[in-house]
């Protein structure tokens, strides 16, 4: 499995957790108020199937796969909304169309179920029978949340109208629109991230500051949750940010402050090693240039020899020879 496939798998499993899933929607919809409870959520088959009419009335099956799909239940087991989550490791520039198709197929499924329940006992000319949907029927609302796991800005369209080619204003006024509900840590103020109540808070903070290791360590040291982070959340962080954090494989909780500090020390050590390596190469080039000059090799020929000997470009070799040709 490639790295993107691993990210998709790990983030999907993470968001499938009822507590994490509820936390994401509570932050987005209610600014952190605990309205949706994990126990109110029931996961359902994430496969979306609808059969629109094809040419001559032939059925055309279509199948899509959501990352996570859950029913939110009221007391008494009544469904009051359907919640879907889409995980994105990269920017999807047709996200409005993608999510709109998912939602439309879910609504289409509801209409089909209503039609099936009403089919018996209807007269052939009954308008409600023909439409399959009765006047008193109601649809269950569908909300899809897109979670972007990158630290940068989501620069793709967030509405269907942003994707349309230019057209007359009167036309654009009446074309359908669809808005993407987006969670992107790189564009969220810290105050909004703090509204999360689960490890999503630490995950989003880490992703947001993953390119600034000094600031990241400050944030981690100031937030107690980083001292004992769930292992699954730590694995999400490690994979989506490619941080190469080190921690014991068997432990249930991870001290991210210690892991971040060790990562920074490893980076410094690697930098010093690279610096010493470059210094040794520089010393060898300087010695070779001096030797060629002393034995009478012309300067231009020396450039060619340096380029061949050290596998560098002629342009770089010319700079090195000029620097040491005394």
């Amino acid at each position: 499995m490639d790295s993107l496939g691993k990210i998709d798998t790990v983030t999907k499993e993470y968001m499938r957790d009822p507590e994490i899933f509820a936390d994401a929607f509570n932050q987005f919809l209610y600014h952190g108020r605990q309205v949706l409870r994990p126990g109110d959520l029931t996961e359902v088959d994430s496969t979306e199937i609808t059969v629109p009419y094809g040419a001559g009335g032939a059925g055309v099956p279509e199948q899509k796969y959501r990352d996570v799909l859950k029913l939110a239940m009221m007391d008494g087991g009544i469904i009051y909304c359907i919640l879907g989550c889409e995980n994105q490791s990269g920017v999807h520039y047709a996200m409005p169309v993608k999510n709109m198709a998912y939602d439309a197929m879910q609504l289409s499924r509801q209409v089909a179920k209503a039609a099936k329940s009403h089919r018996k006992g209807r007269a052939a000319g009954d308008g409600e029978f023909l439409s399959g949907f009765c006047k008193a029927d109601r649809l269950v609302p569908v909300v899809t949340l897109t979670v972007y796991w990158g630290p940068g800005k989501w620069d793709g369209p967030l509405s269907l109208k942003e994707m349309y080619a230019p057209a007359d204003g009167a036309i654009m006024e009446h074309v359908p629109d669809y808005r993407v509900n987006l969670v992107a840590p790189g564009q969220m103020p810290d105050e909004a991230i703090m509204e999360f109540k689960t490890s999503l808070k630490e995950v989003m903070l880490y992703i947001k500051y993953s390119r600034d290791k000094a600031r990241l360590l400050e944030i981690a040291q100031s937030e107690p949750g980083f001292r004992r982070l769930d292992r699954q959340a730590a694995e999400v962080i490690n994979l989506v940010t490619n941080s190469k954090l080190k921690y014991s494989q068997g432990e249930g909780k991870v001290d991210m402050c210690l892991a971040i500090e060790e990562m920074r020390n490893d980076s410094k050590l690697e930098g010093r090693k690279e610096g010493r390596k470059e210094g040794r190469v520089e010393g060898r080039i300087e010695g070779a240039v001096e030797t060629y000059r002393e034995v009478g090799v012309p300067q231009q020929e020396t450039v060619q020899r340096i380029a061949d000997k050290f596998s560098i470009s002629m342009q770089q070799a010319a700079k090195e020879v000029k620097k040491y040709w005394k």
Side-chain angles (χ1 to χ4, degrees), residues 5 27 30 52 65 73 108 172 269:
Q27 188 282 325
Y30 305 111
Y65 297 91
M73 315 291 287
S108 177
M172 295 305 296
L269 179 61

Side-chain angles (χ1 to χ4, degrees), residues 97-114:
V97 174
K98 179 182 179 182
N99 283 357
M100 181 178 66
Y102 284 145
D103 291 355
M105 282 190 283
Q106 180 56 237
L107 296 172
S108 177
R109 178 183 290 183
Q110 292 184 44
V111 171
K113 286 184 177 180

Side-chain angles (χ1 to χ4, degrees), residues 113-186:
K113 286 184 177 180
K116 184 177 181 180
S117 69
H118 297 316
R119 192 164 294 138
K120 292 182 179 180
R122 294 289 186 186
D126 193 316
E128 290 184 335
F129 174 81
L130 293 176
S131 67
F133 201 76
C134 292
K135 184 177 180 179
D137 287 337
R138 293 294 180 267
L139 295 171
V140 176
V142 183
V143 179
T144 297
L145 187 63
T146 297
V147 181
Y148 175 46
W149 297 95
K153 181 180 179 181
W154 178 279
D155 61 357
L158 291 176
S159 69
L160 192 58
K161 283 195 173 182
E162 294 177 59
M163 299 181 64
Y164 287 122
D168 181 83
I171 293 175
M172 295 305 296
E173 184 178 350
H174 296 284
V175 296
D177 199 7
Y178 180 92
R179 185 186 64 188
V180 173
N181 301 313
L182 180 71
V183 171

